Amino acid sequence: MSKITAAITAVGGYVPEYVLTNQILETMVDTNDEWIVTRTGIRERRILKEEGKGTSYLAIQAAKDLLEKSNTDPKDIDMVILATATPDMPVAVTGVYVASEIGAVNAFSYDLIAACSSFLFGMSTAAKYIESGRYKKVLLIGADKMSSIIDYEDRATCIIFGDGAGAVLFEPNEEGFGVQDEFLRTDGVGRPHLKIDAGGSILPASAETVANKQHYVFQDGRTVFKFAVSNMAEVSEKIMERNGLSGDDVHWLVPHQANKRIIDATANRMNLPEEKVMINIDKYGNTTSATLPLCLNDYEKQLKKGDNIVFAAFGGGFTWGSLYLKWAYNSN
Ligand code: UT7
């Protein structure tokens, strides 16, 4: 019997309707469109405004989009992994609610939390379940309502993040398509540089933590930028070397959308021209766990069976890595 690989067989995506432009942000904090575009590449981001709706809402919409487009019966799904940094609430697993709401009644589910690398690490996890031969349909969703943890008075973070969700379906493949290799890394040196101080087990919520704004994301942007630039480029180069791929052999780079300058540095190191790099940071900003699947969703029609795709991400923790996948289908 030939080896089972884990192939992506369908994608879906969702972003909320409300568009928060750089021009609107200019009225909220001391910033300007020119600074944001040249330093980050972001022009606008989407925000989930409706009260009472959380990350699960975004995830459910993305999953439903995938199910509809691919004509998949949710009852056939074996497992739902929700990659997120903003679960609906502590303890009650958000992915479980999502699975029930989409009708994946025969699936088990859990959340996978690895900051901006959640989806990349989730791809690795989903692939292992498929490669084991025990599971046939694993739905991986990356979803984040970043607006729920952002201080819209802090210009260092509020210009960067947006809300959104993307989903992919992994299925077994016996023709060699799907996940080929991965190179995943972590380093606790990153902990002070990108974090939320309160609301966890070290500093539970109190009137004081709220007054001190300790439930919002803190980022030392300059330090994170330095680590992200060198590490994302390094793991992308490494995965190419290990698999004998040159820039000509790689059809697409799917990079985490944190900063256009980090993406450009990674593409340069891989010897890739701009037209081989998936970019949507201008429209959505940094949607954390949703950046990679939203790229796939936006570019799906351009992908061809057999395309060599390198995914790369970097995030809090620090967490980072690259993954090499052969695309399994033509969508036209
Ligand atoms: O997805 C998870 C991983 N995260 C990342 O990869 C993010 C990595 N970091 C970054 O993308 C960048 O560091 C930022 C976009 C966050 C910031 O860009 P930067 O080029 O590193 O700016 P900086 O923090 O070094 O600030 C440069 C200047 C400062 O002024 P002075 O000290 O030079 O006078 C800031 O106060 O720009 C100022 N500044 C702003 N000006 C206008 C900072 N934020 C803003 C702003 N608008 N929004």
Side-chain angles (χ1 to χ4, degrees):
M1 209 180 90
S2 46
K3 190 179 158 221
I4 297 172
T5 47
I8 291 178
T9 56
V11 305
Y14 175 77
V15 287
E17 264 169 42
Y18 179 78
V19 181
L20 178 60
T21 62
N22 290 351
Q23 287 70 26
I24 299 172
L25 281 167
E26 283 177 1
T27 69
M28 297 163 63
V29 289
D30 180 15
T31 191
N32 59 79
D33 177 57
E34 203 250 326
W35 191 95
I36 302 174
V37 172
T38 52
R39 306 307 286 174
T40 70
I42 303 168
R43 293 183 187 279
E44 55 190 47
R45 53 301 283 138
R46 301 301 186 97
I47 304 293
L48 181 57
K49 283 270 192 188
E50 292 96 317
E51 260 181 48
K53 287 183 177 168
T55 294
S56 61
Y57 177 80
L58 303 165
I60 290 165
Q61 305 310 311
K64 283 184 175 169
D65 182 48
L66 178 149
L67 295 173
E68 205 169 290
K69 270 164 46 184
S70 60
N71 220 356
T72 301
D73 183 347
K75 293 194 194 71
D76 292 339
I77 295 173
D78 300 307
M79 177 181 190
V80 176
I81 303 174
L82 178 67
T84 188
T86 54
D88 281 0
M89 57 184 82
V91 185
V93 178
T94 305
V96 170
Y97 174 71
V98 172
S100 293
E101 288 296 303
I102 62 170
V105 289
N106 296 310
F108 72 103
S109 175
Y110 57 79
D111 299 345
L112 191 153
I113 298 190
C116 290
S117 304
S118 299
F119 189 84
L120 184 81
F121 288 14
M123 289 178 79
S124 165
T125 306
K128 303 300 175 297
Y129 280 100
I130 295 289
E131 288 159 9
S132 75
R134 189 167 291 164
Y135 304 95
K136 305 289 181 225
K137 286 187 197 288
V138 176
L139 180 65
L140 171 64
I141 309 169
D144 269 304
K145 185 183 169 186
M146 293 306 291
S147 62
S148 65
I149 53 170
I150 293 299
D151 175 4
Y152 285 93
E153 293 181 351
D154 174 15
R155 69 174 183 176
T157 50
C158 74
I159 57 134
I160 296 170
F161 295 98
D163 302 339
V168 302
L169 186 66
F170 278 97
E171 292 187 84
N173 188 286
E174 294 194 18
E175 297 170 286
F177 296 106
V179 176
Q180 308 291 311
D181 194 12
E182 66 187 28
F183 188 57
L184 308 181
R185 312 295 301 145
T186 61
D187 188 342
V189 72
R191 182 145 137 151
H193 305 299
L194 180 46
K195 59 178 176 170
I196 295 176
D197 273 320
S201 55
I202 290 184
L203 187 58
S206 67
E208 205 183 339
T209 60
V210 173
N212 292 340
K213 295 188 157 199
Q214 287 172 296
H215 295 272
Y216 292 126
V217 170
F218 163 83
Q219 175 170 248
D220 167 6
R222 213 172 288 192
T223 303
V224 178
F225 184 88
K226 278 188 205 143
F227 277 95
V229 157
S230 57
N231 286 325
M232 231 169 91
E234 190 184 301
V235 290
S236 306
E237 193 177 39
K238 179 113 184 168
I239 205 134
M240 287 171 72
E241 256 172 42
R242 221 155 70 171
N243 291 279
L245 298 170
S246 70
D248 287 343
D249 301 320
V250 174
H251 298 90
W252 294 100
L253 167 65
V254 188
H256 175 50
Q257 311 280 309
N259 188 313
K260 178 72 164 51
R261 291 183 289 144
I262 299 172
I263 297 171
D264 291 345
T266 304
N268 277 343
R269 205 54 183 268
M270 296 169 73
N271 272 324
L272 291 187
E274 199 159 0
E275 57 273 16
K276 287 187 172 184
V277 183
M278 294 193 191
I279 304 275
N280 56 20
I281 189 170
D282 51 324
K283 295 188 292 180
Y284 309 140
N286 181 349
T287 55
T288 302
S289 310
T291 59
L292 303 183
L294 276 175
C295 278
L296 287 181
N297 192 53
D298 281 1
Y299 284 78
E300 185 189 16
K301 290 207 161 40
Q302 296 181 53
L303 298 178
K304 296 196 174 54
K305 192 171 178 176
D307 278 357
N308 290 318
I309 306 183
V310 173
F311 295 79
F314 185 90
F318 294 128
T319 55
W320 73 100
S322 59
L323 184 144
Y324 164 37
L325 172 140
K326 266 189 188 298
W327 195 248
Y329 65 100
N330 295 314
S331 49
N332 283 325

